[in-house]
Amino acid sequence: MKWPWSAPSIRVRLTAWYAVVLTAMMIVYATATFVAVRHEFLEQLDDQLHDDFETAESLLTRTADGRIVWAGDRHQDPDSDEVRVYEVWSPAGEQIHRSGASVALPPVAVASTHASYRYETVAGNNERWRTLTAPITIGGHAVVLRVSRSEERLRNQLWEILVVLVFGSPLVVVLAGVGGYLLARRALLPIDHLASEAQRITAERLHERLTVPNQRDEIGRLTGVINDTFARLESSFDQLRRFTADASHELRTPLAVVRGIGEAAVTERRSPKEYEDAIGSMLEEVDRMTTLVETLLRLSHGDAGRIRVSREPLDLGQLARDVTSSLGILVEERNQKLMLDIADGVVVPVDRLVLREAVTNVLDNAIKYSPAGSTVAIRVGRIGDEALLAIADEGPGIPPEHRERIFHRFFRVDEARSRDGGGSGLGLAIAKWAVDIHGGAITVEQRPGGGSEFRILLPLTPAVATTHDQKTTQMRLGG
Ligand code: ADP
């Protein structure tokens, strides 16, 4: 069972964290405030007590008959004072004067009263009294004066402050929590909006984009990132659709041919020789389809990273010679010339079979798309820390706008011509994949006198694995 609290929303969590932090801060703040106020109040009380003490010291006098009384107008009636008590004690520990509030305070320990002021808190009438005791002389006689002030008012004030702090703080936390919740909700509202907008965008509506309210804020940036992801997804979907459509189209033609031949063969009675020819043509088409399907399968394995390449040192010049001799028959048929310019010892760490296929495809194109009697030049050498294999022909060349796309699957500059030559539009896609997987690059350029030059560059030392992985990922679907 799923509890509603098992995954609270961000705004609830934000508010909870906010409230917890605020509560901790309020506790610290309230405690610090209370301690500081209490300290300040006690200091004020002691100051007042000191003033009282000095007043009493200057105003208490001794009469001729030895009594201690208040002099002057002040404190005419100290007995009406509710909060203060003045006591004079003789060195023998006898109380010889008392005025102020009527409260029973403990006697002064005269013996332990030294020259300095002594502040202390004592109990009297269930209240606490702050006292200041010190020896003085009145009329030349040494006595001990104790002035006391009730702490009650101070305690009441402190209590009120405590009540305000104790009951006010939770109120502040609750109010701030509600405010925080509303703020969090307001701040997160665009995310809810974003989620419902994103939900609307399905595979069929991938061209739609989220609206960006403010590009500069965090939500705006997030929306931008999501929109970019949708754009990439849309392009991948498009490529996938195109690829599927192209592959089906590619298979449909030979299938139609097979069907046509088959239908023509069965509508009329034919000689065994004619049947043989029909079956031969059908098998040719089946071969075409098999090659196509195998190539597609290999490309898809390459995309999925399922093709293992085993790198071994390979002499690029030797590979060029091998490919040239295996395609020699085509060159002869077309009365073309091959020119080889091969540097010795250009060794690259590659998978021989994979790279051989790439070079074969490029050379096959150079022969196929160049006129009879023309020359195809193959060059192997080094450029910096890379090996170069260049194949130049005297064919029609490739228009600049197509130079990148010819490496895409099923792309052909001239569809009819490519088909006639038995091309499926996958040769260069395979070549690019094979070169990429070795951390190399394949490019095409226009030659000054017409014709194109395909250049395969390969690192002379093994490429870093990540480069290969990245390139493989990039070429998926798009390659
Ligand atoms: P195809 O099977 O059609 O040859 P490729 O992938 O090998 O497929 O090549 C893609 C397209 O690039 C070809 O259809 C052709 O239009 C163009 N192309 C490739 N190589 C050459 C070349 N050497 N000269 C002119 N065009 C070329």
Side-chain angles (χ1 to χ4, degrees), residues 361-370 391 393 395-399 402 405-415 417-419 421-430 444 451-454:
N361 289 354
V362 176
L363 185 58
D364 182 50
N365 281 347
I367 298 166
K368 204 164 62 178
Y369 293 109
S370 312
I391 298 176
D393 61 44
I398 290 152
H402 295 321
R405 292 170 66 201
I406 51 166
F407 298 103
H408 290 189
R409 295 167 194 189
F410 297 118
F411 180 81
R412 292 132 157 158
V413 178
D414 180 347
E415 193 151 328
R417 192 165 166 204
S418 156
R419 257 185 233 285
S424 61
L426 291 174
L428 287 180
I430 288 265
V444 61
S452 41
E453 180 173 87
F454 282 81

Side-chain angles (χ1 to χ4, degrees), residues 170-248:
L171 196 71
V172 169
V173 171
V174 169
L175 286 179
V178 171
Y181 180 83
L182 294 177
L183 261 182
R185 202 173 67 167
R186 205 185 140 91
L188 294 173
L189 216 58
I191 294 196
D192 280 347
H193 177 66
L194 213 63
S196 57
E197 268 209 329
Q199 249 170 3
R200 197 192 65 210
I201 300 178
T202 54
E204 281 67 44
R205 301 166 74 174
L206 268 180
H207 57 279
E208 290 187 19
R209 294 287 174 271
L210 305 174
T211 41
V212 188
N214 177 4
Q215 270 175 347
R216 277 190 299 271
D217 69 6
E218 290 82 350
I219 305 283
R221 286 204 295 274
L222 175 69
T223 316
V225 171
I226 297 179
N227 276 342
D228 286 350
T229 311
F230 276 135
R232 283 203 298 276
L233 211 60
E234 186 188 8
S235 133
S236 293
F237 258 67
D238 281 351
Q239 280 171 357
L240 194 67
R241 278 199 199 109
R242 217 177 317 131
F243 182 72
T244 317
D246 288 347
S248 321

Side-chain angles (χ1 to χ4, degrees), residues 274-400:
E274 282 170 327
Y275 282 128
E276 224 171 77
D277 287 350
I279 292 171
S281 304
M282 283 165 115
L283 283 178
E284 244 172 53
E285 288 306 316
V286 170
D287 275 351
R288 260 180 83 124
M289 279 190 283
T290 312
T291 315
L292 180 67
V293 170
E294 272 170 3
T295 314
L296 281 176
L297 218 58
R298 229 179 24 255
L299 274 172
S300 106
H301 282 172
D303 286 350
R306 272 198 272 155
I307 293 184
R308 289 175 64 96
V309 287
S310 51
R311 286 153 197 257
E312 272 163 29
L314 171 80
D315 187 328
L316 209 54
Q318 193 52 49
L319 178 80
R321 282 192 196 95
D322 287 356
V323 176
T324 315
S325 70
S326 70
L327 294 182
I329 182 88
L330 287 181
V331 181
E332 268 173 40
E333 268 175 17
R334 301 174 63 82
N335 204 18
Q336 289 165 329
K337 254 190 291 169
L338 276 179
M339 246 175 59
L340 276 83
D341 171 12
I342 289 173
D344 283 335
V346 181
V347 178
V348 279
V350 291
D351 186 307
R352 185 187 157 81
L353 286 180
V354 172
L355 197 67
R356 188 192 160 99
E357 190 175 5
V359 178
T360 306
N361 289 354
V362 176
L363 185 58
D364 182 50
N365 281 347
I367 298 166
K368 204 164 62 178
Y369 293 109
S370 312
S374 63
T375 305
V376 174
I378 303 171
R379 191 154 44 97
V380 171
R382 286 191 195 84
I383 294 184
D385 53 358
E386 288 185 305
L388 169 77
L389 191 155
I391 298 176
D393 61 44
E394 292 172 351
I398 290 152

